[in-house]
Amino acid sequence: MTEDPAAPPPAPSCTPTLPGFTCGLDATLRVISGKWKPLILYFLAQGGPTRYGELRRAVRDVSDKMLIQQLKELEADGLVKRTDHREIPPRVDYSLTPLGVSLAQALVPLCTWGTENMAEVTRVYAQRARGAAGKG
């Protein structure tokens, strides 16, 4: 029996390796849990240190409260570094730690998939919305 060359490679083993996580995917999803964290990581990966205001404009529709909370969690998880320049007016910027860079790189295939399938995903969501509106 020959392997299908179009078949995706087998997934890495997802066996428990650390207490509290069922597998590596579980650990990853816990770190990036929340609607905004993957986008924050994505935008921070686009360049060097990023001021809060730039990040706020890049991550559209997020409230200040939620962005601050998500940044604090990413900082606590060792993915984001916050630098307070102790200036007047206040200047704070954010950048990725080496761990954050490695996670942002791991998100690249998801970004690629979304770009390649955006039209289909848009169609599916529009169809779903029409179906939900018709059931009301």
Side-chain angles (χ1 to χ4, degrees):
M1 188 149 113
T2 61
E3 292 185 30
D4 178 3
S13 174
C14 202
T15 57
T17 55
L18 295 173
F21 298 110
T22 58
C23 64
L25 180 60
D26 183 23
T28 304
L29 291 175
R30 286 197 203 179
V31 170
I32 63 169
S33 66
K35 180 177 180 179
W36 306 109
K37 287 181 185 177
L39 288 172
I40 293 167
L41 292 168
Y42 171 81
F43 287 114
L44 288 176
Q46 301 306 302
T50 305
R51 305 261 320 253
Y52 177 83
E54 294 174 77
L55 204 50
R56 176 72 173 81
R57 286 186 296 277
V59 184
R60 294 182 297 176
D61 300 328
V62 66
S63 68
D64 283 316
K65 177 183 175 184
M66 184 56 66
L67 181 56
I68 290 167
Q69 177 185 331
Q70 300 278 277
L71 284 165
K72 284 181 179 180
E73 290 176 13
L74 288 167
E75 184 180 10
D77 290 341
L79 300 169
V80 168
K81 178 183 177 193
R82 179 183 187 272
T83 303
D84 184 345
H85 295 277
R86 305 211 182 275
E87 298 175 352
I88 303 293
R91 183 167 69 101
V92 175
D93 57 44
Y94 297 88
S95 58
L96 294 177
T97 64
L99 186 62
V101 169
S102 69
L103 180 54
Q105 290 169 343
L107 294 173
V108 169
L110 291 175
C111 184
T112 301
W113 183 90
T115 300
E116 291 172 353
N117 294 284
M118 197 174 297
E120 179 67 10
V121 171
T122 300
R123 185 192 64 74
V124 167
Y125 274 85
Q127 185 177 14
R128 187 190 304 173
R130 284 192 301 274
K135 294 180 181 181

